[in-house]
Amino acid sequence: MTILILIPGRDCRDLAAALKKNDPTLDIRIWPNDGEQADIDYIISWNHPAGELHNYPNLKVVASFGAGVDHIFNDPALPENITITRLVDDCLARQMSDYVLGAILNHRLRLTEYREYQGAGVWSPKESRTGNHVCLLGLGNIGQEVTHSLTAQNFKVSGWSQNPKNIKGVTSFQGDDELAKAISDADYIVCLLPLTPQTENILDKTFFARAKKGAYLINVGRGGHLNEDDLLDAIYNEQISGACLDVFRTEPLPDAHPFWRHPKIYITPHSASLTNIEQAALQLIENHRKMQNNQPLSNQVDRTQGY
Amino acid sequence: MTILILIPGRDCRDLAAALKKNDPTLDIRIWPNDGEQADIDYIISWNHPAGELHNYPNLKVVASFGAGVDHIFNDPALPENITITRLVDDCLARQMSDYVLGAILNHRLRLTEYREYQGAGVWSPKESRTGNHVCLLGLGNIGQEVTHSLTAQNFKVSGWSQNPKNIKGVTSFQGDDELAKAISDADYIVCLLPLTPQTENILDKTFFARAKKGAYLINVGRGGHLNEDDLLDAIYNEQISGACLDVFRTEPLPDAHPFWRHPKIYITPHSASLTNIEQAALQLIENHRKMQNNQPLSNQVDRTQGY
């Protein structure tokens, strides 16, 4: 049977080649050149057009080409009887923990401030910031890697997740009732959550009001987690001291968006973790083999939880 | 007897207060209000004027108000029979390791590039840099703390020092003969050395020619380690990809200096580690007590080695 790569707007010949390198016998097609649609039982997807999956009568598996699957659940016509998987990639988790640590140190050491002083020709040494307490929203495999990285640098780490977790070195909180407590004392709040109906807009004015005054926000989850206007207000009111954002409601960020020119908002272009093609190909091929052998797939998504 | 704080250009009342807090009986004077000069046996110095120490006939100890002592040895009229000490401060080492890790992650994650793209309204995701090998020049207490911090983040660390060192997790090299070997494969070269006649101008064109093409330089040692023109040439020739510099031959960096506006040179205003007054006071008082009791002082500087 046949694999279809369904990633609008991306030149996917590199991914097709990486899959072929692992198994030259595979029949791989790149959407929209999908040939006989009944051949296709395994789709690698990122932002597929809503309704599109119904064109494939023998589809069994939709594999997300990333750690997130919110783009799949965005399809209101998602077929019922398919298995959904996601990438769980040490390399992704590793990149993410580099990014989070880099963003925190950038803020602590005032590196962006000093860069702006440099441009203005100003020599003005200041003490580093001392805040040492980081709260992670989301304690999955990425959250655990980030924890490891931060505790090694002597940060105090607490974490919050929907379901109970027990991770060494982390004070953990769970469920909506404990969210306020989880963030109340944190100098840095890092959103690593999957985007689900429960977590959408979690970073809103109620949330910011419960944070410690002057907390710094890092969002590497999804743009949909953040109410952007509420963030602008919270920074204006000095409740939140600033933010480092890698994800946005609309990407690329629209030209007229106020984040581009905000002095206290630092943005990166969804670059915190980029899928490594070779590693992704290995996981996708392995799950494809399991499907063919009727074995349980790795990294299946729970459709009721949405991640 | 009496302590003199001799730090031109700094308002030292905070240091005097911190010393008094530890021992209210102390007689402490702040230069140039030094009163009866024969009273003074212990001087806390940073950049004292050359020759000045000869005014104190009963001087026994000059304590550097920082980790470096090059500013003391700069005095060609340094009295022979005094003991010189320096601060060895976990807090300084900790700040330095934060800075080095922050500077490396800033480069790896392209955070300064993205900040410039943000200013220009450009969305352009790129892969992070992959170089993972860091060579530390200098393996004293600061080098060891930096090693600990980098190895915890999965960096490969090698190190070079004048004298043999054996540090867990570090491939170490020593002496002039092994310098070329130490740096030949490093993606990041970090200068943490003390400034001595042996290490002055160590970062020169010969050094850069021996580095791996595209290596990135971080100088948190002293401005005197770096031949600034040679660095500009090495960056122009793409032998060195860029530099993060915290220390300079003249500080503050003069207005007309080309580093201010160089796109590949990132500067910070000697802020990588600032002496913590409380911690410094404890060490200075402890050594003052030892001096009074004729005990050996902590963190004495070897005058023949210059550190």
Side-chain angles (χ1 to χ4, degrees), chain A residues 5 12-24 26 28 276-282 285:
Chain A
I5 303 174
C12 288
R13 286 172 295 182
D14 58 343
L15 176 58
L19 294 165
K20 278 272 193 192
K21 199 175 129 195
N22 281 285
D23 183 350
L26 288 173
I28 296 171
N276 176 292
I277 297 290
E278 308 297 329
Q279 281 225 17
L282 285 176
I285 291 277

Side-chain angles (χ1 to χ4, degrees), chain A residues 121-132:
Chain A
V122 173
W123 178 277
S124 176
K126 294 183 177 181
E127 296 222 340
S128 294
R129 294 190 174 89
T130 53
N132 200 46

Side-chain angles (χ1 to χ4, degrees), chain B residues 6-8 43-51 53 62-78 84-87 194-196 222 270 275 301 306:
Chain B
L6 202 179
I7 310 183
I43 288 182
I44 299 167
S45 155
W46 192 263
N47 285 330
H48 68 260
L53 301 180
V62 174
S64 172
F65 187 57
V69 288
D70 45 295
H71 63 99
I72 294 174
F73 288 107
N74 277 345
D75 180 354
L78 190 64
I84 296 167
T85 65
R86 64 195 194 91
L87 296 181
L195 185 63
T196 68
R222 285 283 181 265
H270 204 143
T275 300
V301 173

Side-chain angles (χ1 to χ4, degrees), chain A residues 6 40-41 43 45 48-62 71-84 301 303:
Chain A
L6 201 178
I40 289 163
D41 53 0
I43 288 180
S45 155
H48 68 260
E52 184 71 14
L53 302 179
H54 284 281
N55 296 330
Y56 307 96
N58 296 312
L59 181 61
K60 289 185 196 153
V61 172
V62 174
H71 63 99
I72 294 173
F73 288 107
N74 278 345
D75 180 354
L78 191 65
E80 279 299 320
N81 298 312
I82 53 169
T83 298
I84 296 167
V301 173
R303 295 187 65 155

